[in-house]
Amino acid sequence: MAIFKGAGVAIVTPMKEDMSINFEKLGELIEDQIAGKTDSIIICGTTGESSTMSHEEHIETIRYCVEKVAGRVPVIAGTGSNSTSEAIYLSKEAERVGSDGLLVVTPYYNKATQNGLYEHFRVIAEAVSIPIILYNVPGRTGCNLLPATTARLFNDIDNIVGIKEASGNVGQAAELMHLTEGKIDLYSGNDDIVVPLLSLGGSGVISVVSNIAPAFMHNMVASYLAGDVAKATKLQLDCIPLCGALFCEVNPIPVKAGLNLQGFQAGPPRLPLTEMEPQNQERLKAVMAEMGLL
């Protein structure tokens, strides 16, 4: 069984002006997401700026999310690291505080071999009992988890159940679905190619766009899964300008700007990320207004 089907949000972590985590505003965002029919909350991922969090902040943010969601939708915690021992620690802690599943990114910077990646994910999975979604995002990590390695992990390890595929390579996703006979839970990690991956047997998307348009993304995936491919395709194409604006600077700079435009007070990103450039913010504002998101 998939941890979820549909559109899960890779939720931002709101910050106060002093750069401490704003749990009150995070709670407001979580409630807005659930009201917008988001199918899962993915906490402390890339969009959640986990790479700038201390271990204590990381675990507390996951715990807060689990308690706030209170079982209404699955909570998936980002617990990856370039240090295998650190990823094991975070994964155990996320399980302890009640996460329904884990999102574990490929180790960045180290540039592990495919055998190294296999061993990294194997020992993490064996340290916990909850299901794991692998996270392949070579544009940020410098490391590509190849389909053969993913299929080997999926076939060998019971609680490795899915992958967030954010390579942008539809052919790579197709090869993986071939190797796993379509059984792995495939989630698009790119908001601009959700429908193409659903057409390969995907289960949904782990979405940045859902932060500012949860109902829109939910409806896109729900329409496809209900057999209305034409409606899903139209929504996908309608979303392309928004995807462009939300990724014209590195994520999560634009999506935090978008939430602030909506009045959610997501705050600034932590350094080394900075506020969105004024001309790009105007572009984002115009696209959001055109889509009725302001």
Side-chain angles (χ1 to χ4, degrees), residues 3 76-77 79 91 94-95 99-104 128 130-133:
I3 304 175
I76 299 169
T79 57
S91 297
E95 181 176 33
S99 300
D100 297 292
L102 306 175
L103 180 70
V104 184
V128 296
I130 56 177
I132 289 174
I133 298 171

Side-chain angles (χ1 to χ4, degrees), residues 217-236:
M217 294 303 294
H218 167 83
N219 289 339
M220 180 196 298
V221 180
S223 296
Y224 189 95
L225 296 178
D228 194 343
V229 176
K231 181 179 178 181
T233 301
K234 183 181 186 307
L235 292 172
Q236 176 73 89

